[in-house]
Coordinates of all heavy atoms in Angstrom, one line a residue:
R1 N 43.8 -15.5 49.0 CA 44.8 -14.9 48.2 C 46.1 -15.6 48.1 O 46.7 -15.7 47.0 CB 45.1 -13.5 48.7 CG 44.3 -12.5 48.0 CD 44.8 -11.1 48.3 NE 43.8 -10.2 47.7 CZ 43.9 -9.7 46.5 NH1 45.0 -9.9 45.8 NH2 43.0 -8.9 46.1
K2 N 46.6 -16.2 49.2 CA 47.8 -16.9 49.2 C 47.7 -18.1 48.3 O 48.6 -18.5 47.6 CB 48.2 -17.3 50.7 CG 49.6 -17.6 50.8 CD 49.9 -17.7 52.3 CE 51.4 -17.7 52.5 NZ 51.9 -17.6 53.8
L3 N 46.6 -18.8 48.4 CA 46.3 -20.0 47.5 C 46.4 -19.6 46.0 O 47.0 -20.3 45.2 CB 45.0 -20.6 47.8 CG 44.6 -21.8 47.0 CD1 45.7 -22.9 47.2 CD2 43.2 -22.3 47.4
E4 N 45.8 -18.4 45.7 CA 45.8 -18.0 44.3 C 47.3 -17.8 43.8 O 47.6 -18.2 42.7 CB 45.1 -16.7 44.1 CG 43.6 -16.9 44.1 CD 42.9 -15.6 44.0 OE1 43.4 -14.6 43.4 OE2 41.7 -15.5 44.5
S5 N 48.1 -17.1 44.6 CA 49.4 -16.8 44.2 C 50.3 -18.1 44.1 O 51.2 -18.2 43.2 CB 50.1 -15.8 45.1 OG 50.3 -16.4 46.4
S6 N 50.0 -19.1 44.9 CA 50.7 -20.4 44.8 C 50.3 -21.2 43.6 O 51.0 -22.0 43.1 CB 50.6 -21.2 46.0 OG 49.2 -21.6 46.2
L7 N 49.1 -20.9 43.0 CA 48.6 -21.7 41.8 C 49.3 -21.1 40.5 O 49.3 -21.8 39.5 CB 47.1 -21.6 41.7 CG 46.3 -22.3 42.8 CD1 44.8 -22.0 42.6 CD2 46.6 -23.8 42.7
F8 N 49.8 -19.9 40.6 CA 50.3 -19.3 39.3 C 51.7 -18.9 39.4 O 52.1 -17.8 39.2 CB 49.4 -18.0 39.0 CG 48.0 -18.4 38.8 CD1 47.0 -18.1 39.8 CD2 47.5 -19.0 37.7 CE1 45.7 -18.4 39.6 CE2 46.2 -19.3 37.5 CZ 45.3 -19.0 38.5
Q9 N 52.5 -19.9 39.8 CA 54.0 -19.7 39.9 C 54.5 -19.7 38.5 O 54.1 -20.6 37.6 CB 54.6 -20.7 40.7 CG 54.2 -20.7 42.2 CD 54.7 -19.4 42.9 OE1 55.8 -19.0 42.6 NE2 53.9 -18.9 43.7
P10 N 55.5 -18.9 38.1 CA 56.1 -19.0 36.8 C 56.8 -20.3 36.6 O 57.4 -20.8 37.6 CB 57.1 -17.8 36.8 CG 57.1 -17.2 38.1 CD 56.0 -17.8 38.9
V11 N 56.7 -20.9 35.5 CA 57.3 -22.2 35.2 C 58.5 -21.9 34.3 O 58.4 -21.3 33.3 CB 56.3 -23.1 34.5 CG1 57.0 -24.4 34.1 CG2 55.1 -23.3 35.3
P12 N 59.7 -22.4 34.8 CA 60.9 -22.2 33.9 C 60.7 -22.9 32.6 O 60.3 -24.0 32.6 CB 62.0 -22.8 34.8 CG 61.5 -23.3 36.0 CD 60.0 -23.1 36.0
T13 N 61.1 -22.2 31.5 CA 61.0 -22.9 30.2 C 62.4 -23.1 29.7 O 63.3 -22.4 30.0 CB 60.2 -22.0 29.2 OG1 60.9 -20.7 29.1 CG2 58.8 -21.7 29.7
R14 N 62.5 -24.1 28.9 CA 63.8 -24.5 28.3 C 64.0 -23.5 27.1 O 63.1 -23.2 26.3 CB 63.8 -25.9 27.8 CG 63.6 -26.9 28.9 CD 63.7 -28.2 28.4 NE 65.0 -28.7 28.9 CZ 65.5 -29.8 28.6 NH1 65.0 -30.7 27.7 NH2 66.7 -30.2 29.1
T15 N 65.2 -23.1 27.0 CA 65.6 -22.2 25.9 C 65.8 -23.0 24.7 O 66.5 -24.1 24.7 CB 66.9 -21.5 26.3 OG1 66.7 -20.8 27.5 CG2 67.3 -20.5 25.2
S16 N 65.3 -22.6 23.5 CA 65.6 -23.3 22.3 C 67.0 -23.1 21.9 O 67.5 -21.9 22.0 CB 64.7 -22.8 21.2 OG 63.4 -23.1 21.5
V17 N 67.7 -24.1 21.5 CA 69.1 -24.0 21.2 C 69.4 -24.4 19.8 O 68.7 -25.2 19.2 CB 70.0 -24.8 22.2 CG1 69.9 -24.2 23.6 CG2 69.7 -26.2 22.1
T18 N 70.5 -23.9 19.3 CA 71.1 -24.3 18.0 C 72.5 -24.9 18.4 O 73.2 -24.3 19.2 CB 71.3 -23.1 17.0 OG1 70.0 -22.6 16.7 CG2 72.0 -23.5 15.8
T19 N 72.9 -26.0 17.8 CA 74.2 -26.6 18.1 C 75.0 -26.5 16.9 O 74.6 -26.8 15.8 CB 74.0 -28.1 18.5 OG1 73.2 -28.1 19.6 CG2 75.4 -28.7 18.9
I20 N 76.2 -26.0 17.1 CA 77.2 -25.9 16.0 C 78.5 -26.6 16.3 O 78.8 -26.7 17.5 CB 77.6 -24.4 15.6 CG1 78.2 -23.7 16.8 CG2 76.3 -23.7 15.1 CD1 78.8 -22.3 16.4
R21 N 79.1 -27.2 15.4 CA 80.4 -27.9 15.6 C 81.5 -26.9 15.2 O 81.5 -26.4 14.1 CB 80.5 -29.2 14.7 CG 81.8 -29.9 15.0 CD 81.9 -31.1 14.1 NE 80.8 -32.1 14.2 CZ 80.7 -33.0 15.2 NH1 81.7 -33.2 16.0 NH2 79.7 -33.8 15.2
I22 N 82.4 -26.7 16.2 CA 83.5 -25.8 16.0 C 84.5 -26.5 15.0 O 85.0 -27.5 15.3 CB 84.2 -25.5 17.3 CG1 83.2 -24.8 18.3 CG2 85.4 -24.5 17.1 CD1 82.6 -23.5 17.9
S23 N 84.8 -25.9 13.8 CA 85.6 -26.5 12.8 C 87.1 -26.3 13.1 O 87.9 -27.1 12.5 CB 85.2 -26.0 11.4 OG 85.4 -24.6 11.4
S24 N 87.5 -25.3 13.8 CA 88.9 -25.1 14.2 C 88.9 -24.4 15.5 O 87.9 -23.8 15.9 CB 89.6 -24.4 13.1 OG 89.1 -23.1 13.0
Q25 N 90.0 -24.5 16.2 CA 90.1 -23.8 17.5 C 89.7 -22.4 17.4 O 90.1 -21.7 16.4 CB 91.6 -23.9 18.1 CG 91.9 -25.2 18.6 CD 93.3 -25.1 19.3 OE1 94.1 -24.3 19.0 NE2 93.5 -26.1 20.2
T26 N 89.0 -21.9 18.3 CA 88.6 -20.5 18.3 C 88.4 -20.0 19.7 O 88.1 -20.8 20.6 CB 87.3 -20.3 17.5 OG1 87.1 -18.9 17.2 CG2 86.1 -20.9 18.1
S27 N 88.5 -18.7 19.9 CA 88.3 -18.1 21.2 C 86.8 -17.9 21.5 O 86.0 -17.7 20.6 CB 89.0 -16.8 21.3 OG 88.4 -15.8 20.6
I28 N 86.5 -17.9 22.8 CA 85.2 -17.7 23.2 C 84.8 -16.2 22.9 O 83.6 -15.9 22.6 CB 85.0 -18.0 24.8 CG1 83.5 -18.3 25.1 CG2 85.6 -17.0 25.6 CD1 83.0 -19.6 24.6
D29 N 85.8 -15.3 22.9 CA 85.5 -13.9 22.6 C 85.0 -13.8 21.2 O 84.1 -13.0 20.9 CB 86.7 -13.0 22.9 CG 86.9 -12.8 24.3 OD1 86.0 -12.9 25.1 OD2 88.1 -12.5 24.7
S30 N 85.6 -14.6 20.2 CA 85.1 -14.5 18.9 C 83.7 -15.0 18.8 O 82.9 -14.4 18.0 CB 86.0 -15.5 18.0 OG 87.3 -15.0 17.9
I31 N 83.4 -16.1 19.5 CA 82.0 -16.6 19.5 C 81.0 -15.5 20.0 O 80.0 -15.3 19.4 CB 81.9 -17.9 20.4 CG1 82.8 -19.0 19.8 CG2 80.5 -18.3 20.5 CD1 82.3 -19.6 18.6
K32 N 81.4 -14.9 21.2 CA 80.5 -13.9 21.8 C 80.3 -12.7 20.9 O 79.2 -12.3 20.7 CB 81.1 -13.4 23.1 CG 81.1 -14.5 24.2 CD 81.4 -14.0 25.6 CE 82.8 -13.4 25.7 NZ 83.1 -13.1 27.1
R33 N 81.4 -12.3 20.3 CA 81.3 -11.1 19.4 C 80.4 -11.4 18.1 O 79.5 -10.7 17.8 CB 82.7 -10.7 18.9 CG 83.1 -9.3 19.2 CD 84.4 -8.9 18.6 NE 85.3 -9.9 18.1 CZ 86.2 -10.5 18.8 NH1 86.4 -10.3 20.1 NH2 87.0 -11.5 18.2
H34 N 80.7 -12.5 17.5 CA 80.1 -12.9 16.3 C 78.6 -13.2 16.4 O 77.8 -12.7 15.7 CB 80.8 -14.0 15.6 CG 80.2 -14.3 14.2 ND1 80.6 -13.6 13.1 CD2 79.3 -15.2 13.8 CE1 79.9 -14.1 12.1 NE2 79.2 -15.1 12.5
F35 N 78.3 -14.0 17.4 CA 76.9 -14.4 17.6 C 76.1 -13.5 18.6 O 74.9 -13.7 18.9 CB 76.8 -15.8 18.1 CG 77.3 -16.8 17.1 CD1 78.5 -17.4 17.2 CD2 76.4 -17.1 16.0 CE1 78.9 -18.3 16.2 CE2 76.9 -18.0 15.0 CZ 78.1 -18.6 15.2
K36 N 76.8 -12.4 19.1 CA 76.2 -11.5 20.1 C 75.5 -12.2 21.2 O 74.3 -12.0 21.6 CB 75.2 -10.6 19.3 CG 75.8 -9.7 18.3 CD 74.8 -8.9 17.5 CE 75.5 -8.1 16.4 NZ 76.2 -8.7 15.4
V37 N 76.3 -13.1 21.9 CA 75.9 -13.8 23.0 C 76.8 -13.6 24.2 O 78.0 -13.5 24.0 CB 75.9 -15.4 22.7 CG1 75.5 -16.2 23.9 CG2 75.0 -15.7 21.5
D38 N 76.3 -13.4 25.4 CA 77.1 -13.1 26.5 C 77.7 -14.4 27.1 O 77.2 -15.5 26.9 CB 76.4 -12.3 27.6 CG 75.2 -13.0 28.1 OD1 75.4 -14.0 28.9 OD2 74.1 -12.6 27.8
G39 N 78.7 -14.3 27.9 CA 79.4 -15.4 28.5 C 78.5 -16.2 29.4 O 78.6 -17.4 29.5
K40 N 77.6 -15.5 30.1 CA 76.7 -16.2 31.1 C 75.8 -17.2 30.3 O 75.6 -18.3 30.8 CB 75.9 -15.1 31.8 CG 75.1 -15.6 33.0 CD 74.5 -14.5 33.7 CE 73.6 -15.0 34.8 NZ 73.0 -13.9 35.6
T41 N 75.3 -16.7 29.2 CA 74.4 -17.6 28.4 C 75.2 -18.8 27.8 O 74.7 -19.9 27.8 CB 73.8 -16.8 27.2 OG1 73.0 -15.7 27.8 CG2 72.9 -17.6 26.4
I42 N 76.4 -18.5 27.3 CA 77.2 -19.6 26.8 C 77.5 -20.6 27.9 O 77.3 -21.9 27.7 CB 78.5 -19.1 26.2 CG1 78.2 -18.3 24.9 CG2 79.5 -20.2 25.9 CD1 79.4 -17.6 24.4
K43 N 77.8 -20.2 29.1 CA 78.1 -21.1 30.2 C 76.9 -21.9 30.6 O 76.9 -23.1 30.8 CB 78.6 -20.3 31.4 CG 78.9 -21.2 32.6 CD 80.1 -22.1 32.4 CE 80.4 -22.9 33.6 NZ 81.3 -24.0 33.4
K44 N 75.7 -21.2 30.6 CA 74.5 -21.9 31.0 C 74.1 -23.0 30.0 O 73.7 -24.1 30.4 CB 73.3 -20.9 31.0 CG 72.0 -21.4 31.4 CD 70.9 -20.4 31.3 CE 69.5 -21.0 31.5 NZ 68.5 -20.0 31.4
L45 N 74.3 -22.7 28.7 CA 74.0 -23.7 27.7 C 75.0 -24.8 27.5 O 74.8 -25.8 26.9 CB 73.7 -23.0 26.3 CG 72.5 -22.1 26.3 CD1 72.4 -21.4 24.9 CD2 71.2 -22.8 26.6
N46 N 76.3 -24.5 27.9 CA 77.4 -25.4 27.7 C 78.2 -25.5 29.0 O 79.3 -25.0 29.2 CB 78.3 -24.8 26.7 CG 77.7 -24.6 25.3 OD1 77.5 -25.5 24.5 ND2 77.2 -23.3 25.1
P47 N 77.6 -26.2 30.0 CA 78.2 -26.3 31.3 C 79.5 -27.0 31.4 O 80.3 -26.9 32.3 CB 77.1 -27.0 32.2 CG 76.3 -27.7 31.2 CD 76.3 -26.9 29.9
T48 N 79.9 -27.7 30.3 CA 81.1 -28.5 30.3 C 82.3 -27.6 29.9 O 83.5 -28.1 29.9 CB 81.1 -29.7 29.4 OG1 80.8 -29.3 28.1 CG2 80.0 -30.7 29.9
I49 N 82.1 -26.4 29.4 CA 83.2 -25.5 29.0 C 84.0 -25.2 30.2 O 83.4 -24.7 31.2 CB 82.7 -24.2 28.3 CG1 82.1 -24.6 26.9 CG2 83.8 -23.2 28.1 CD1 81.5 -23.4 26.2
E50 N 85.3 -25.4 30.1 CA 86.2 -25.1 31.3 C 86.2 -23.5 31.5 O 86.1 -22.7 30.6 CB 87.6 -25.5 30.9 CG 87.8 -27.0 30.8 CD 89.2 -27.4 30.4 OE1 90.1 -26.6 30.6 OE2 89.3 -28.5 29.9
Q51 N 86.4 -23.2 32.8 CA 86.5 -21.8 33.2 C 87.6 -21.1 32.4 O 87.5 -19.9 32.0 CB 86.7 -21.7 34.7 CG 86.6 -20.3 35.2 CD 85.2 -19.7 35.0 OE1 84.2 -20.3 35.0 NE2 85.2 -18.4 34.8
S52 N 88.8 -21.8 32.2 CA 89.9 -21.2 31.5 C 89.5 -20.8 30.0 O 90.0 -19.8 29.5 CB 91.1 -22.1 31.5 OG 90.7 -23.3 30.8
V53 N 88.6 -21.5 29.4 CA 88.1 -21.1 28.1 C 87.2 -19.9 28.2 O 87.4 -18.9 27.4 CB 87.3 -22.3 27.4 CG1 86.7 -21.8 26.1 CG2 88.2 -23.5 27.2
L54 N 86.4 -19.8 29.2 CA 85.5 -18.7 29.4 C 86.3 -17.4 29.7 O 85.9 -16.3 29.4 CB 84.5 -18.9 30.5 CG 83.4 -20.0 30.1 CD1 82.6 -20.4 31.4 CD2 82.5 -19.6 29.0
E55 N 87.4 -17.6 30.4 CA 88.3 -16.5 30.7 C 89.2 -16.1 29.6 O 90.0 -15.1 29.7 CB 89.1 -16.8 32.0 CG 88.3 -17.0 33.2 CD 89.1 -17.6 34.4 OE1 90.3 -18.0 34.2 OE2 88.5 -17.7 35.5
G56 N 89.2 -16.8 28.5 CA 90.1 -16.5 27.3 C 91.5 -17.0 27.4 O 92.3 -16.7 26.6
K57 N 91.8 -17.8 28.4 CA 93.1 -18.4 28.6 C 93.4 -19.6 27.6 O 94.5 -19.8 27.2 CB 93.4 -18.8 30.0 CG 93.3 -17.7 31.0 CD 93.5 -18.2 32.4 CE 93.3 -17.0 33.4 NZ 93.3 -17.5 34.8
K58 N 92.3 -20.2 27.2 CA 92.4 -21.4 26.3 C 91.3 -21.1 25.2 O 90.4 -20.4 25.4 CB 92.1 -22.7 27.0 CG 93.2 -23.2 28.0 CD 92.8 -24.5 28.5 CE 93.9 -25.0 29.5 NZ 93.5 -26.3 30.0
Q59 N 91.4 -21.9 24.1 CA 90.4 -21.8 23.1 C 89.5 -23.0 23.1 O 89.8 -24.0 23.6 CB 91.1 -21.7 21.7 CG 91.9 -20.4 21.6 CD 92.3 -20.2 20.2 OE1 92.5 -21.1 19.4 NE2 92.6 -18.9 19.8
L60 N 88.3 -22.8 22.5 CA 87.4 -24.0 22.3 C 88.1 -24.9 21.3 O 88.6 -24.5 20.3 CB 86.1 -23.5 21.7 CG 85.1 -22.9 22.6 CD1 84.0 -22.3 21.9 CD2 84.6 -23.9 23.6
P61 N 88.1 -26.2 21.6 CA 88.8 -27.1 20.7 C 88.0 -27.4 19.4 O 86.8 -27.3 19.3 CB 88.9 -28.4 21.5 CG 87.8 -28.3 22.5 CD 87.6 -26.9 22.8
R62 N 88.8 -27.8 18.4 CA 88.2 -28.2 17.1 C 87.2 -29.4 17.4 O 87.5 -30.3 18.1 CB 89.3 -28.6 16.2 CG 88.8 -29.1 14.9 CD 90.0 -29.4 14.0 NE 89.5 -29.8 12.7 CZ 89.7 -31.0 12.2 NH1 90.3 -32.0 12.9 NH2 89.2 -31.3 11.0
G63 N 86.0 -29.3 16.8 CA 85.1 -30.4 16.9 C 84.1 -30.3 18.1 O 83.2 -31.0 18.2
Y64 N 84.3 -29.2 18.9 CA 83.4 -29.0 20.1 C 82.0 -28.7 19.6 O 81.8 -27.9 18.7 CB 84.0 -27.9 21.0 CG 83.2 -27.7 22.2 CD1 83.4 -28.5 23.4 CD2 82.1 -26.8 22.3 CE1 82.7 -28.3 24.5 CE2 81.4 -26.6 23.5 CZ 81.7 -27.4 24.6 OH 80.9 -27.3 25.7
L65 N 81.0 -29.3 20.2 CA 79.6 -29.0 19.9 C 79.1 -27.9 20.8 O 78.9 -28.2 22.0 CB 78.8 -30.3 20.0 CG 79.1 -31.4 19.0 CD1 78.2 -32.6 19.3 CD2 78.8 -31.0 17.6
L66 N 79.0 -26.7 20.3 CA 78.7 -25.6 21.0 C 77.2 -25.3 20.9 O 76.7 -25.2 19.8 CB 79.5 -24.4 20.5 CG 79.2 -23.0 21.3 CD1 79.8 -23.1 22.7 CD2 79.8 -21.9 20.5
K67 N 76.5 -25.1 22.0 CA 75.1 -24.8 22.0 C 74.9 -23.3 22.1 O 75.6 -22.6 23.0 CB 74.4 -25.5 23.1 CG 74.3 -27.0 22.9 CD 73.6 -27.6 24.1 CE 73.6 -29.1 23.8 NZ 74.1 -29.9 25.0
L68 N 74.1 -22.7 21.3 CA 73.8 -21.3 21.3 C 72.3 -21.1 21.3 O 71.6 -22.0 20.8 CB 74.4 -20.6 20.0 CG 75.9 -20.6 19.9 CD1 76.3 -20.1 18.5 CD2 76.6 -19.7 21.0
P69 N 71.8 -19.9 21.7 CA 70.4 -19.7 21.7 C 69.9 -19.8 20.2 O 70.6 -19.3 19.3 CB 70.2 -18.3 22.2 CG 71.5 -18.0 23.0 CD 72.5 -18.8 22.4
A70 N 68.8 -20.3 20.0 CA 68.2 -20.5 18.6 C 67.9 -19.1 18.0 O 67.8 -19.0 16.8 CB 67.0 -21.3 18.6
T71 N 67.9 -18.1 18.8 CA 67.6 -16.7 18.3 C 68.8 -16.0 17.8 O 68.7 -14.8 17.4 CB 67.0 -15.9 19.5 OG1 67.9 -15.9 20.6 CG2 65.7 -16.5 19.9
V72 N 70.0 -16.6 17.8 CA 71.2 -15.9 17.3 C 71.0 -15.4 15.9 O 70.3 -16.1 15.1 CB 72.5 -16.7 17.4 CG1 72.9 -17.0 18.8 CG2 72.4 -18.0 16.5
Q73 N 71.4 -14.2 15.6 CA 71.2 -13.5 14.3 C 72.1 -13.9 13.2 O 71.7 -13.8 12.0 CB 71.2 -12.0 14.5 CG 70.2 -11.5 15.5 CD 68.8 -11.7 15.1 OE1 68.4 -11.5 14.0 NE2 68.0 -12.3 16.0
T74 N 73.3 -14.3 13.5 CA 74.3 -14.6 12.5 C 74.4 -16.1 12.3 O 74.4 -16.9 13.2 CB 75.6 -14.0 12.9 OG1 75.5 -12.7 13.2 CG2 76.6 -14.1 11.8
S75 N 74.5 -16.5 11.1 CA 74.6 -18.0 10.8 C 76.0 -18.5 11.1 O 77.0 -17.8 11.0 CB 74.3 -18.3 9.3 OG 75.3 -17.9 8.5
P76 N 76.1 -19.8 11.5 CA 77.4 -20.4 11.7 C 78.3 -20.4 10.4 O 79.5 -20.2 10.5 CB 77.0 -21.9 12.0 CG 75.7 -21.8 12.6 CD 75.0 -20.7 11.8
Q77 N 77.7 -20.4 9.2 CA 78.5 -20.4 8.0 C 79.2 -19.0 7.9 O 80.3 -19.0 7.4 CB 77.6 -20.6 6.8 CG 77.1 -22.1 6.6 CD 75.9 -22.4 7.6 OE1 75.3 -21.5 8.1 NE2 75.7 -23.7 7.8
Q78 N 78.5 -18.0 8.2 CA 79.1 -16.7 8.2 C 80.3 -16.6 9.2 O 81.3 -16.0 8.9 CB 78.1 -15.6 8.5 CG 77.1 -15.3 7.4 CD 76.0 -14.4 7.8 OE1 75.6 -14.3 9.0 NE2 75.5 -13.6 6.9
F79 N 80.1 -17.2 10.3 CA 81.2 -17.2 11.3 C 82.4 -18.0 10.8 O 83.5 -17.5 10.9 CB 80.7 -17.9 12.6 CG 81.8 -18.0 13.7 CD1 82.3 -16.9 14.3 CD2 82.4 -19.2 13.9 CE1 83.3 -17.0 15.3 CE2 83.4 -19.4 14.9 CZ 83.8 -18.2 15.6
I80 N 82.2 -19.1 10.2 CA 83.3 -19.9 9.7 C 84.1 -19.1 8.6 O 85.3 -19.0 8.6 CB 82.8 -21.3 9.1 CG1 82.3 -22.1 10.2 CG2 83.9 -22.0 8.3 CD1 81.5 -23.3 9.8
A81 N 83.3 -18.5 7.7 CA 83.9 -17.7 6.6 C 84.7 -16.5 7.2 O 85.9 -16.2 6.8 CB 82.9 -17.1 5.7
T82 N 84.2 -15.8 8.2 CA 84.9 -14.7 8.8 C 86.1 -15.1 9.5 O 87.2 -14.5 9.4 CB 83.9 -14.0 9.9 OG1 82.8 -13.6 9.2 CG2 84.6 -12.8 10.5
E83 N 86.1 -16.2 10.3 CA 87.2 -16.7 11.0 C 88.3 -17.2 10.0 O 89.5 -17.1 10.3 CB 86.8 -17.8 12.0 CG 86.1 -17.3 13.2 CD 86.9 -16.3 14.0 OE1 88.0 -16.7 14.5 OE2 86.5 -15.2 14.2
S84 N 87.9 -17.8 8.9 CA 88.9 -18.3 7.9 C 89.7 -17.2 7.3 O 90.9 -17.3 7.1 CB 88.1 -19.1 6.8 OG 87.5 -20.2 7.3
K85 N 89.0 -16.1 7.1 CA 89.7 -14.9 6.5 C 90.8 -14.3 7.5 O 91.8 -13.8 7.1 CB 88.7 -13.8 6.2 CG 87.8 -14.1 5.0 CD 86.8 -13.0 4.8 CE 85.9 -13.4 3.7 NZ 84.8 -12.3 3.6
K86 N 90.6 -14.5 8.8 CA 91.5 -14.0 9.8 C 92.7 -14.9 9.9 O 93.8 -14.4 10.3 CB 90.8 -13.9 11.2 CG 89.7 -12.9 11.2 CD 89.1 -12.9 12.6 CE 88.0 -12.0 12.8 NZ 87.4 -12.0 14.1
R87 N 92.7 -16.1 9.5 CA 93.8 -17.0 9.7 C 94.8 -16.9 8.5 O 94.3 -16.8 7.3 CB 93.3 -18.5 9.7 CG 92.4 -18.7 10.9 CD 92.2 -20.2 11.1 NE 91.1 -20.5 12.0 CZ 90.9 -20.1 13.2 NH1 91.6 -19.2 13.7 NH2 89.8 -20.5 13.9
P88 N 96.1 -16.9 8.8 CA 97.0 -16.7 7.7 C 97.0 -18.0 6.8 O 96.8 -19.1 7.2 CB 98.4 -16.7 8.4 CG 98.1 -16.9 9.8 CD 96.7 -16.9 10.1
S89 N 97.2 -17.8 5.5 CA 97.1 -18.9 4.5 C 98.5 -19.6 4.4 O 99.5 -19.1 4.6 CB 96.8 -18.4 3.1 OG 95.5 -17.7 3.2

């Protein structure tokens, strides 16, 4: 029995990701809200994001390549359009 259980260990799988380029500075909270992704997932997929960004003290810089789960429901184009409407002209 012990041999059987050692033969069938779960194998970690890689999460499929979508990469988007941030077109202007934005908060991590905007990303989480819009794409319905939690901070833990963002940190896992983007280990180079500083803790201060994750805590909301700083914003993601323009041009940052952000990885998101490929299963996100909202398109990056919708996010850009929504964020653009929020910025003063």
Side-chain angles (χ1 to χ4, degrees):
R1 264 195 189 263
K2 199 169 195 173
L3 178 60
E4 282 179 28
S5 65
S6 67
L7 291 175
F8 300 104
Q9 295 294 321
V11 176
T13 59
R14 298 186 108 184
T15 304
S16 295
V17 297
T18 298
T19 302
I20 61 169
R21 182 181 303 275
I22 302 298
S23 60
S24 62
Q25 283 188 338
T26 191
S27 71
I28 202 74
D29 287 336
S30 293
I31 299 287
K32 291 191 300 190
R33 235 184 351 266
H34 186 80
F35 292 106
K36 296 175 178 65
V37 177
D38 62 71
K40 189 175 180 179
T41 301
I42 292 173
K43 179 65 178 169
K44 179 182 174 186
L45 296 175
N46 303 276
T48 61
I49 292 180
E50 295 178 18
Q51 189 62 33
S52 58
V53 172
L54 293 170
E55 292 170 354
K57 296 176 184 173
K58 291 183 179 179
Q59 294 191 335
L60 283 170
R62 179 177 182 246
Y64 185 85
L65 294 175
L66 181 70
K67 293 180 181 127
L68 295 170
T71 57
V72 292
Q73 299 298 312
T74 309
S75 75
Q77 289 78 16
Q78 289 174 327
F79 176 72
I80 292 165
T82 303
E83 288 299 300
S84 296
K85 288 178 188 175
K86 292 180 184 178
R87 299 195 196 304
S89 301

